């Protein structure tokens, strides 16, 4: 794709955003940024430094020192936190919960949004998250909002966990998703919300290929 579009994909946890964004980026030869990985890296940094999320002064010092970099690769992006590869660690359950807790804090969001805008400045980027179409890139060329039933989303995360050798029950996963969706959509700052001009895609009964093709077709039609 010659045009250097900015494509925003938002939606609740496990709705298919990252998988779709990654494959779409490969097809369009765009950069893919998983903004959730950045909040996860913040959460890990706070945990490693024993910073209590209510201690805004310590958190502010911490955020000043945080360096997040993303290395793009065909097999998937690698996330570095102050030089350390944390790609796998940030997907663990303790960080998943903490990322949603740290994401409500204004100074954290401010720093992450700055970084995200900087990465997307020259276009040719697909970014997925919760507030990409509403706050980070309100003028994005394309905005998608992905949804899926909670049952389908829990099933996907259960399969992913199983493949990694983690033994989690479907109920546990469903409870975590429901808790996180509520926390993400009821917060005051940049809540999870569909932008008024976003195209909604329900992935409940779609395969990954169908999802990617659907977005690709919409992009090509409007190009
Ligand atoms: O991949 P998954 O859907 O499980 O979550 P994620 O995209 O890695 O995001 C982890 C958490 O970061 C979310 O639950 C949100 O609280 C937060 N987040 C956010 O606030 N804004 C974003 N743009 C992306 C993620």
């Amino acid at each position: 794709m010659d045009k250097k579009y900015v494509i925003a994909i938002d939606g609740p946890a496990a709705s298919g955003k990252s998988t779709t964004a990654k494959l779409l980026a490969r097809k369009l030869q765009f950069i893919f940024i998983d903004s959730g990985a950045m909040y996860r890296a913040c959460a890990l940094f706070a945990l490693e430094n024993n910073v209590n999320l209510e201690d805004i002064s310590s958190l502010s010092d911490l955020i000043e020192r945080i360096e997040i970099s993303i290395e793009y690769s065909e097999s998937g992006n690698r996330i570095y936190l102050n030089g350390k590869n944390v790609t796998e660690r940030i997907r663990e359950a303790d960080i998943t919960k903490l990322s949603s807790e740290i994401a409500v804090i204004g100074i954290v969001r401010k720093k992450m949004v700055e970084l995200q805008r900087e990465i997307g400045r020259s276009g040719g980027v697909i970014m997925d998250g919760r507030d990409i179409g509403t706050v980070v890139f309100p003028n994005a060329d394309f905005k998608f909002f992905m949804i899926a039933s909670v049952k389908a989303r829990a099933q996907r995360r259960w399969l992913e966990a199983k493949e990694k050798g983690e033994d989690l029950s479907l109920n546990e996963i469903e409870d975590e998703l429901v808790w996180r969706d509520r926390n993400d959509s009821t917060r005051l700052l940049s809540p999870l919300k569909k932008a008024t001009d976003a195209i909604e895609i329900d992935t409940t009964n779609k395969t990954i290929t169908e999802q990617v093709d659907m977005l690709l077709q919409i992009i090509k039609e409007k190009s």
Side-chain angles (χ1 to χ4, degrees), residues 19-73:
T19 316
T20 306
K22 187 160 89 184
L23 294 173
L24 193 62
R26 210 176 281 167
K27 293 212 178 202
L28 298 174
Q29 299 217 305
F30 279 15
I31 288 171
F32 157 55
I33 303 292
D34 168 4
S35 68
M38 297 181 179
Y39 290 95
R40 287 172 179 268
C42 289
L44 178 60
F45 203 43
L47 187 73
E48 285 178 345
N49 288 277
N50 289 314
V51 169
N52 182 327
L53 301 190
E54 271 147 35
D55 179 356
I56 293 297
S57 149
S58 302
L59 195 60
S60 170
D61 291 344
L62 190 84
I63 291 299
E64 286 295 308
R65 290 192 285 121
I66 199 166
E67 271 174 40
I68 298 173
S69 59
I70 301 166
E71 207 177 88
Y72 314 105
S73 86

Side-chain angles (χ1 to χ4, degrees), residues 160-167:
E160 277 172 19
K162 201 170 150 217
E163 277 161 17
K164 284 197 273 177
E166 291 165 15
D167 186 24

Side-chain angles (χ1 to χ4, degrees), residues 9 18 22 24 61 63 82 85 88 106 116-117 123 129 131 135 154 157 161 175 178 200 203-204 211 213 222-223:
I9 306 183
S18 294
K22 187 160 89 184
L24 193 62
D61 291 344
I63 291 299
N82 292 45
N85 185 345
E88 307 287 327
Q116 289 153 9
R117 287 186 179 147
D131 61 339
V135 175
R157 279 290 142 97
D175 288 350
V178 170
E200 187 170 288
T203 68
T204 307
Q211 278 157 224
D213 286 350
K222 290 199 180 164
S223 293

Side-chain angles (χ1 to χ4, degrees), residues 84-149:
K84 191 169 83 181
N85 185 345
V86 295
T87 316
E88 307 287 327
R89 174 66 182 104
I90 58 170
R91 299 288 152 197
E92 290 174 21
D94 57 338
I95 299 303
T96 301
K97 181 155 194 290
L98 202 59
S99 65
S100 185
E101 287 166 353
I102 208 167
V104 308
I105 302 168
I107 49 169
V108 174
R109 300 207 70 84
K110 186 170 177 284
K111 173 96 181 209
M112 293 307 107
V113 171
E114 270 169 24
L115 200 59
Q116 289 153 9
R117 287 186 179 147
E118 178 59 33
I119 297 170
R121 203 162 38 101
S122 27
V125 66
I126 305 180
M127 197 172 288
D128 86 288
R130 305 292 186 286
D131 61 339
I132 310 303
T134 51
V135 175
V136 182
F137 296 122
N139 298 321
D141 300 289
F142 294 92
K143 296 182 189 179
F144 297 99
F145 193 80
M146 294 195 136
I147 55 161
S149 74

Side-chain angles (χ1 to χ4, degrees), residues 201-212:
I201 312 273
D202 187 338
T203 68
T204 307
N205 297 309
K206 284 196 175 54
T207 65
I208 292 165
T209 314
E210 283 170 344
Q211 278 157 224
V212 176

